[in-house]
Structure formats: structure tokens, C-alpha cells
Amino acid sequence: MGYLQPLIFFVLAAFPFVFISPSLSSLDHDNVKISPPAGQVNNVTLSLYYETLCPYCASFISKDLVKVFQTDLYTIVNLRLVPWGNADIVGDMIHCQHGEDECYLNAIDSCVIHLWPDVKTHFDFIRCTEEKRLKEGAVNSKEAMWRNCSDQLGLRADMIHKCYATGIGIKLLLQYGNETASLKPPHQYVPWVVVNNEPLKDDYENFVKHVCDAYQGDPKPEACKTQSSGVGSTLDKMKKNIHPGCYASEFRNSK
């Protein structure tokens, strides 16, 4: 069982609205009307709800979601990353499925998304850290889990530190938690992928097909013309009772 306590009393006192109404959050929700950027009115909103130490999330981000930027799919997608996952609030503490380090890293990702709102920039950071954890597993230093990636991408570590140390990262994390809790239907596991308000559930690996089907613009990008469905691999996993993700129910039952 993991928890995150630093500055949470300050955050709860200073920003009580995060528990009162999702509509007061400055973040766009899949459950409210989203205003797309100018010139992108036909774009499809693709939202990933994830947690930083879930291996299924790491694999999906580094091997599948990266297709958004490896192809021209990015031209029709408004990609959103929501780092909360199966975390929960118990009393005055945030509990995370994979321990205190996950709470810390969720807050770090929240800071990076906030500081560098360009989606390609913060996606590159998140992908880098997830790939690093897949390859190296646990490390001794929490900062080492992300510092090499910030240096590699030219993202100032001092700005990330300040965001976390001043409580901004926790404030943002709580907003993401508020958003995740308001999902309808509720998420069952992560990675949880939503396309234009519709959860893909067990078919999340086929997000490209769902994005292309949802896109109403013309012409469609080459990624839509060449994409092939991976539904067979998803069904094979389900038949073998292999979990498609980190389950919220497993975390709740373990507490």
C-alpha cells in the first residue's frame, strides 16, 4: 500500500474545490464538453488514464501509444494523459497501487504536463520514463526515475522540483483524481483508454481503429488507411485470462 503525504494538508486547505466539483477543475474532462484548439474542430479526443508504475501502462505508452507520433495520426488527435490510475484518497493521504514512489511519480508527470503543455513534449518525457522503468525496474533514487529523461529532453529539472516541492504537483494530481473518479462508466483498470467519451475497455490496443472511425474530417490521414486491427491478440489474451491491465478492484481488495 502506498501513500503520499507531503504538503497534502496545505493542498487540501488551499484548494478544497478539487473534491467539491469536477466542473471547477481547469483540466478538460472526458465527461464535459471539450473545446478543441482552433482549426482542430474535427479532431478526436484520445485520453489515457494511467499510473506510473503499472507495467501494462508502461508497455502501452512505449509500444502502442507512441504510434500517434510515429505516424500522421497526431494530425487528427487531441491526446490527453491523466496520471492517477487506481490511486485512492484515504483520510488525508493519497494511496497508490504500487506504493509511495508511484504517487511521487504521478505528481512528477502532472508537473511536466503542466509546465510543458505541448503534448509531444510531455509525451516524450512520459514515454522516456516508462521505457526506463520497463528496462531497469526499481531504482534506489526516486529522482533517478525521471532525472535522466528530463536532462535528455532539455526539460529543466529545477522547474520540476519546484512544482512538486511547492505543492502544485499534488494539486494537479488531485484534479486528475477528481476527473478519473467522474468517469462514466467507472474505469476498471489501467491503462484505460477513452475516445470521444467512449471507453475502449479490452479493445484499447486497437485505439488507432477507433480514432479513425471517430474522425469526421476529410481526407483521413495515411495512418487510418494503413492501420490493421490487433483485435486477435487482445481476444487471445482474454481467453488465456491474462489481465489487460492493473485492476482497481485488486488494489481495493488488498488494502
Side-chain angles (χ1 to χ4, degrees):
M1 183 186 302
Y3 61 92
L4 184 66
Q5 262 187 309
L7 300 175
I8 196 164
F9 289 108
F10 163 77
V11 173
L12 294 176
F15 306 103
F17 61 83
V18 297
F19 294 109
I20 296 173
S21 172
S23 65
L24 293 179
S25 170
S26 63
L27 303 176
D28 290 330
H29 287 194
D30 279 309
N31 299 315
V32 300
K33 184 176 179 181
I34 297 173
S35 298
Q40 297 180 349
V41 293
N42 290 318
N43 273 20
V44 177
T45 298
L46 172 64
S47 300
L48 170 65
Y49 296 83
Y50 75 102
E51 56 194 23
T52 52
L53 293 184
C54 172
Y56 295 97
C57 294
S59 179
F60 178 73
I61 289 169
S62 61
K63 298 176 182 178
D64 295 299
L65 195 59
V66 68
K67 294 174 187 175
V68 170
F69 299 106
Q70 289 178 336
T71 67
D72 58 352
L73 192 68
Y74 72 90
T75 62
I76 67 167
V77 167
N78 295 328
L79 177 62
R80 303 180 58 251
L81 295 107
V82 184
W84 176 265
N86 298 325
D88 197 8
I89 297 172
V90 180
D92 55 13
M93 295 185 294
I94 302 174
H95 291 245
C96 293
Q97 187 166 18
H98 300 95
E100 185 175 358
D101 284 353
E102 181 169 81
C103 289
Y104 167 78
L105 292 167
N106 287 348
I108 291 296
D109 278 8
S110 299
C111 282
V112 171
I113 293 168
H114 170 69
L115 292 168
W116 292 277
D118 174 74
V119 66
K120 180 62 166 58
T121 301
H122 63 247
F123 176 81
D124 282 347
F125 172 86
I126 292 167
R127 178 194 175 194
C128 177
T129 57
E130 295 300 321
E131 286 181 339
K132 181 180 176 65
R133 287 190 284 276
L134 275 179
K135 293 176 182 178
E136 301 178 11
V139 296
N140 294 327
S141 167
K142 290 192 294 186
E143 182 176 333
M145 294 182 181
W146 61 266
R147 180 61 186 260
N148 288 345
C149 290
S150 67
D151 291 345
Q152 176 183 324
L153 296 169
L155 306 181
R156 288 176 50 187
D158 62 317
M159 293 174 61
I160 300 172
H161 274 301
K162 183 176 180 180
C163 174
Y164 178 78
T166 57
I168 294 174
I170 299 174
K171 170 195 170 184
L172 295 167
L173 188 59
L174 290 170
Q175 289 180 333
Y176 285 134
N178 205 28
E179 174 181 350
T180 303
S182 70
L183 284 170
K184 297 186 184 305
H187 82 287
Q188 300 169 23
Y189 50 79
V190 290
W192 189 255
V193 182
V194 177
V195 172
N196 279 1
N197 299 327
E198 294 295 327
L200 304 190
K201 299 182 179 178
D202 291 337
D203 203 33
Y204 67 83
E205 292 176 326
N206 292 320
F207 74 92
V208 175
K209 178 183 184 300
H210 291 277
V211 166
C212 292
D213 288 347
Y215 182 60
Q216 300 299 309
D218 186 61
K220 291 192 176 184
E222 286 299 316
C224 293
K225 300 173 185 177
T226 60
Q227 70 88 27
S228 60
S229 174
V231 67
S233 62
T234 302
L235 291 176
D236 287 343
K237 290 179 181 179
M238 293 169 64
K239 288 177 183 177
K240 295 176 182 177
N241 294 319
I242 299 174
H243 291 331
C246 296
Y247 275 76
S249 58
E250 292 178 352
F251 177 45
R252 286 194 293 267
N253 293 337
S254 69
K255 290 189 292 185

